[in-house]
C-alpha cells in the first residue's frame, strides 16, 4: 500500500508543524542561557554547568527535531511514507503525553514562569493532536498501487533484519535492566521516575526519565521483532529508536570523556564501568542499525492484473492460441 498525494502533503505539513514547535523551544533555550555551548553541555549531562536560566528542553528534543524533519521528507518522497507517519505519530504521543499532568506540577511552578508553562501546555496539546492526525492520515490515505510503475514499500533485507533484531533486542533489554537497577538502587524515586513528581528534575516539555527510557526500550523491542519478520514498519520504527538511542549514548560518552572516566577506567567501581560500556554499546548499536536499516531492501511486488482469454474482448498474448494481432487492418477494411 502507498499513500495518496493528498495524504503525503498533509503528513509533511503535520511533521513540519511538530518540527516548528520543537525548534521554537530550542531557540527559547538558546536565547535564555548566556552561552549556547553551556546548553549543549547541559544536554549532554555535564552536571557542573551553571546556566543563567533553567532549560525547558533536553537532548531528546534535538533528536525529535531531526525525526520530524526526516519524516516530513519521507512523507513526500519515501516508499514507506505511511509507516513513517505512523511511527512519528506514535512516538510523538508517547513522548508528549506526560506533559498533560507534569507541566502543572508544583515543581514546575517553582522553576518556570506561569506564561511559559501555559505555552508549554498549549504546545503539548498541539503536539498530541498532530500525532493523532498523523496516524489517521496514514491510515486513511493508503491505496494500492495502480501499476508496476509505482514504487512499493521496501522491507529490510534478510541480513539487515536479523542484524537489527539482535542489536535492537539487546539494546531494549539493556535499557530495561538499567531502569530496574535505578529503581532498586533508589526506591524513593518510584513512581516519580516514571510519571513525574517533585522529587525529579526534568525539562518542562519532556517526559520523566523513566517514562522516556520505557519508550526507547519498547521502540527497540518492537522494531527488533518487526525487523526479524521483515515487516515494512520495521525501518521507520527502528530508525527512530536508534535515533533516540544514539542521543543517549553520545551524551553518555561525552560525560565519560568530560569527567575523565576513560582515563581511570580500571579504578572505577564495577557498576560505573558497566555504565560506560553501555554508553559505547548504545552508540555502536545505533550506528550499525542505522546503516543496515537505511539501506533500501526488497520491495513488495504488486499483484499483476489477470489477463484472461475468454473475456470477449482484446487479443490473446503473442504466441498464445494463435498469431499476434495484425499491425494494420487487412486490405479493403
Amino acid at each position: 500500500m502507498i499513500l495518496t498525494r493528498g495524504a503525503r502533503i498533509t503528513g509533511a505539513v503535520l511533521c513540519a508543524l511538530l518540527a516548528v514547535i520543537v525548534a521554537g523551544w530550542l531557540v527559547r533555550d538558546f536565547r535564555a542561557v548566556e552561552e549556547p555551548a553551556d546548553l549543549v553541555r547541559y544536554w549532554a549531562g555535564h552536571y557542573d554547568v551553571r546556566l543563567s536560566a533553567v532549560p525547558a528542553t533536553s537532548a531528546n528534543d534535538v533528536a525529535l527535531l531531526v525525526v520530524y524533519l526526516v519524516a516530513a521528507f519521507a512523507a513526500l518522497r519515501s516508499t514507506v511514507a505511511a509507516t513513517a507517519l505512523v511511527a512519528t505519530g506514535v512516538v510523538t504521543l508517547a513522548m508528549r503525553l506526560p506533559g498533560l499532568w507534569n507541566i502543572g506540577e508544583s515543581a514546575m511552578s517553582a522553576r518556570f514562569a506561569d506564561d511559559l508553562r501555559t505555552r508549554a501546555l498549549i504546545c503539548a496539546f498541539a503536539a498530541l493532536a498532530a500525532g493523532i492526525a498523523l496516524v489517521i492520515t496514514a491510515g486513511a490515505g493508503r491505496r494500492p498501487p495502480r501499476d508496476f510503475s509505482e514504487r512499493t514499500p521496501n522491507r529490510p533485507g534478510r541480513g539487515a533484519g536479523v542484524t537489527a533484531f539482535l542489536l535492537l533486542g539487546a539494546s531494549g533489554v539493556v535499557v530495561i535492566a538499567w531502569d530496574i537497577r535505578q529503581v532498586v538502587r533508589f526506591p524513593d524515586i518510584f513512581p516519580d521516575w516514571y510519571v513525574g513528581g517533585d522529587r525529579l528534575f526534568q525539562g518542562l516539555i519532556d517526559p520523566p526519565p523513566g517514562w522516556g527510557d520505557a519508550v526507547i526500550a519498547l521502540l527497540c523491542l518492537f522494531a527488533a521483532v518487526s525487523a526479524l519478520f521483515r515487516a515494512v514498519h520495521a525501518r521507520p520504527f527502528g530508525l527512530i529508536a536508534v535515533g533516540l538511542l544514539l542521543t543517549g549514548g553520545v551524551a553518555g560518552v561525552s560525560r565519560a570523556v568530560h569527567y575523565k572516566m576513560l582515563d581511570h577506567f580500571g579504578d572505577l567501581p564495577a557498576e560505573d564501568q558497566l555504565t560506560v560500556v553501555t554508553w559505547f554499546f548504545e552508540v555502536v548499536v545505533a550506528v550499525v542499525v542505522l546503516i543496515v536499516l537505511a539501506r533500501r531492501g526488497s520491495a513488495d511486488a504488486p499483484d499483476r492484473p489477470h489477463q484472461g482469454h475468454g473475456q470477449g474482448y482484446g487479443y490473446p498474448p503473442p504466441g498464445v492460441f494463435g498469431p499476434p494481432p495484425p499491425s494494420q487492418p487487412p486490405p479493403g477494411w
Side-chain angles (χ1 to χ4, degrees):
M1 303 293 284
I2 60 178
L3 275 185
T4 63
R5 178 177 176 81
R8 287 178 178 272
I9 295 175
T10 302
V13 170
L14 290 171
C15 291
L17 173 62
L18 290 168
V20 169
I21 292 175
V22 177
W25 284 103
L26 295 176
V27 171
R28 178 267 170 191
D29 281 354
F30 274 116
R31 290 181 175 178
V33 300
E34 294 179 355
E35 292 292 337
D38 289 341
L39 179 62
V40 176
R41 288 192 285 269
Y42 170 84
W43 286 338
H46 297 182
Y47 304 112
D48 54 349
V49 175
R50 297 293 180 265
L51 301 175
S52 56
V54 180
T57 59
S58 69
N60 282 335
D61 295 300
V62 180
L64 287 176
L65 176 61
V66 176
V67 168
Y68 294 144
L69 294 177
V70 173
F73 176 81
L76 296 175
R77 302 295 299 272
S78 177
T79 59
V80 293
T83 51
L85 294 183
V86 171
T88 304
V90 169
V91 171
T92 299
L93 293 173
M95 297 295 283
R96 297 312 186 199
L97 185 61
L100 297 185
W101 61 81
N102 277 330
I103 293 175
E105 289 284 341
S106 58
M108 293 294 185
S109 302
R111 293 194 294 266
F112 300 99
D114 290 343
D115 60 336
L116 197 64
R117 290 187 296 112
T118 301
R119 187 169 55 178
L121 190 59
I122 294 174
C123 289
F125 277 109
L128 291 173
I132 295 173
L134 282 174
V135 176
I136 295 175
T137 299
R142 295 187 304 168
R143 64 168 176 81
R146 297 190 182 94
D147 51 42
F148 289 94
S149 64
E150 291 188 317
R151 295 186 304 165
T152 53
N154 292 316
R155 300 177 181 271
R158 190 177 304 278
V162 174
T163 302
F165 167 73
L166 294 175
L167 295 180
L168 286 176
S171 299
V173 171
V174 168
V175 172
I176 292 174
W178 276 115
D179 232 48
I180 294 174
R181 172 58 180 164
Q182 184 78 3
V183 175
V184 171
R185 187 178 180 184
F186 304 103
D188 293 341
I189 66 175
F190 184 82
D192 292 7
W193 179 253
Y194 293 100
V195 298
D198 296 340
R199 288 173 289 186
L200 290 178
F201 186 87
Q202 64 188 72
L204 179 61
I205 65 172
D206 291 313
W211 183 289
D213 291 344
V215 171
I216 295 175
L218 291 176
L219 280 175
C220 288
L221 295 178
F222 178 75
V225 176
S226 302
L228 180 63
F229 291 97
R230 303 180 61 199
V232 173
H233 55 262
R235 294 178 65 201
F237 275 98
L239 292 176
I240 292 177
V242 299
L244 296 174
L245 198 68
L246 180 63
T247 301
V250 169
V253 171
S254 175
R255 287 197 295 275
V257 174
H258 178 71
Y259 292 108
K260 299 181 179 180
M261 301 175 72
L262 300 179
D263 298 338
H264 308 284
F265 184 80
D267 300 328
L268 296 175
E271 185 167 337
D272 291 344
Q273 291 178 344
L274 287 175
T275 300
V276 174
V277 171
T278 298
W279 290 335
F280 279 94
F281 173 75
E282 290 177 346
V283 172
V284 172
V285 166
V287 172
V288 173
V289 176
L290 183 65
I291 293 173
V292 299
L293 288 185
R295 298 176 60 186
R296 181 171 296 179
S298 58
D300 290 336
D303 295 335
R304 184 180 297 272
H306 178 66
Q307 296 180 350
H309 305 300
Q311 299 179 8
Y313 60 89
Y315 289 97
V320 180
F321 302 129
S327 59
Q328 296 180 351
W333 181 261

